Amino acid sequence: MIKKEIQLKVPATVANLVCGFDILGMAIHEPYDEMELRLLSDPIIKIKHLDDFGLPEKAEKNVVGVVLRKIMEHTQMKQGFEVIIKKNIKPGSGLGSSAASAAGAAFGANVLLGKPFSYPQLVYFAIYGEELASGTRHADNIAPCIYGGITLVKSSRPLDIIPLTSPDLLVTAVHPQVEIKTSDARQILKNKIPLKDAVTQWGNIAGLITGILKNDVDLIGRSLNDVVIEPTRSILIPKFSEIKEKSILEGALGGGISGSGPSIFMLSKKKETAEKIAKIMCEEYRKIGVRQYVYVSKINQQGITIL
Ligand code: ADP
């Protein structure tokens, strides 16, 4: 039976995973958005936010509207959608806020339409939302949100997504309440990298993916190094190096900037370590009077779920 309405839990995602700039992403359990979608008899899109982030509710300005419009055009449907969003993933956090809305819209519409689309097709529709949010059609947050777990975006054009089976590691993520514009985080990056650094980065990314696929957590830890993006981008994030150093001393496998920041994430084998790291993160930001949200959860292997 085709459902007329649906409620979704849509997870935050960590893009890049240190050395996998623009190609790797991972879903986590906390924070998550709640979305409710229902079919309307007219071909219109209604969006309502139950949060107070001040996001636009006009369909053409909200990533949800842009994604649903693409699906409506593609299917030439005579009906429309109403969407109610309770967002907990703060926009601009580096935790895939716009991706969650875009992925949730594509996933929810697919269920309401009787599942005509495959996961790669849902990613294809959802990246139009990312284009609205950041000007580029990237899938590194969208893919793990839809597939769950860790995903590799082998290529964006043509879209080639490889879901990777990963060990059940713990993720500690902190979102310090400082603002970094995605455009600033992009502009600061160098356009050229020395060959020596490129070779180091290739080694790390190959090691990281091998470690993920072989369940080799020590190899994952040895490979979580970024010599290309982190050295410049981390300058924008207060307390980045202190948090990284102290987390690794406490037993973290490694970690770095989540997406374009300011959130930072760390991976650990044990829950106790992940929780100690959460404390370290809070303490570091308290010292400088920066408010912060900290989340501890396992890698989210399911991605979006129907409530
Ligand atoms: P993050 O850093 O968490 O990934 P983003 O960079 O994805 O955050 O996106 C936030 C931008 O997208 C903001 O400029 C916001 O106004 C815009 N936007 C439009 N619609 C939405 C939506 N439904 N959810 C989140 N952000 C949205």
Side-chain angles (χ1 to χ4, degrees):
M1 201 186 76
I2 293 181
K3 292 187 181 213
K4 287 223 170 69
E5 63 176 65
I6 189 171
Q7 271 119 31
L8 304 174
K9 191 169 164 182
V10 189
T13 45
V14 171
N16 300 340
L17 288 190
V18 186
C19 49
F21 180 62
D22 271 2
I23 61 168
L24 284 181
M26 163 179 79
I28 56 180
H29 286 279
E30 303 269 346
Y32 62 87
D33 288 353
E34 287 163 75
M35 290 177 77
E36 196 175 311
L37 286 92
R38 71 175 59 86
L39 281 173
L40 297 176
S41 46
D42 295 318
I44 52 167
I45 298 169
K46 283 193 198 167
I47 298 169
K48 189 168 168 46
H49 271 276
L50 300 182
D51 46 71
D52 45 14
F53 294 124
L55 291 166
E57 291 185 336
K58 269 196 173 167
E60 62 277 17
K61 297 240 165 97
N62 192 302
V63 300
V64 166
V66 173
V67 174
L68 293 177
R69 182 67 67 203
K70 275 280 159 206
I71 292 176
M72 286 162 71
E73 281 165 10
H74 183 91
T75 53
Q76 298 182 327
M77 56 191 281
K78 305 271 181 293
Q79 291 166 293
F81 295 96
E82 180 180 9
V83 187
I84 300 169
I85 308 162
K86 186 166 181 295
K87 185 164 277 299
N88 299 305
I89 313 165
K90 196 171 173 189
S93 56
L95 291 170
S97 179
S98 57
S101 292
F107 187 99
N110 189 43
V111 175
L112 294 179
L113 296 174
K115 298 198 182 159
F117 301 118
S118 63
Y119 276 9
Q121 284 172 306
L122 296 185
V123 174
Y124 166 81
F125 288 122
I127 52 180
Y128 283 96
E130 290 295 61
E131 189 175 30
L132 174 79
S134 66
T136 54
R137 283 196 215 163
H138 57 103
D140 49 348
N141 289 102
I142 300 274
C145 193
I146 290 177
Y147 284 78
I150 299 180
T151 53
L152 164 67
V153 181
K154 194 196 158 295
S155 145
S156 296
R157 284 188 197 189
L159 205 54
D160 189 356
I161 292 164
I162 325 278
L164 309 174
T165 42
S166 58
D168 265 344
L169 296 174
L170 272 299
V171 187
T172 314
V174 63
H175 175 204
Q177 304 298 289
V178 291
E179 201 191 329
I180 297 180
K181 290 210 178 92
T182 308
S183 52
D184 290 348
R186 285 237 161 223
Q187 262 166 24
I188 197 173
L189 300 180
K190 294 181 193 134
N191 273 325
K192 293 196 174 142
I193 54 172
L195 187 59
K196 183 171 70 58
D197 289 349
V199 174
T200 306
Q201 198 85 349
W202 289 326
N204 284 331
I205 189 72
L208 179 58
I209 292 188
T210 308
I212 290 169
L213 292 176
K214 288 178 80 173
N215 244 315
D216 184 339
V217 285
D218 294 325
L219 178 56
I220 293 176
R222 293 206 304 282
S223 308
L224 284 169
N225 282 310
D226 173 7
V227 295
V228 175
I229 308 293
E230 189 179 288
T232 26
R233 235 181 213 179
S234 59
I235 298 166
L236 299 173
I237 304 174
K239 291 283 178 186
F240 179 84
S241 31
E242 288 89 339
I243 287 177
K244 191 169 170 181
E245 266 165 40
K246 290 188 177 173
S247 301
I248 289 172
L249 274 178
E250 197 57 62
L253 294 172
I257 307 169
S258 178
S260 53
S263 293
I264 302 172
F265 81 100
M266 290 289 150
L267 289 175
S268 323
K269 280 188 267 189
K270 293 191 200 139
K271 192 154 190 256
E272 304 85 76
T273 316
E275 278 164 357
K276 278 188 193 151
I277 291 167
K279 274 200 191 132
I280 291 171
M281 290 167 164
C282 291
E283 275 162 20
E284 286 301 317
Y285 284 119
R286 260 188 228 128
K287 279 186 207 162
I288 53 166
V290 168
R291 284 183 49 224
Q292 79 301 127
Y293 293 105
V294 184
Y295 309 95
V296 178
S297 70
K298 278 193 176 168
I299 297 177
N300 179 342
Q301 306 288 359
Q302 294 79 45
I304 300 175
T305 45
I306 300 174
L307 290 172

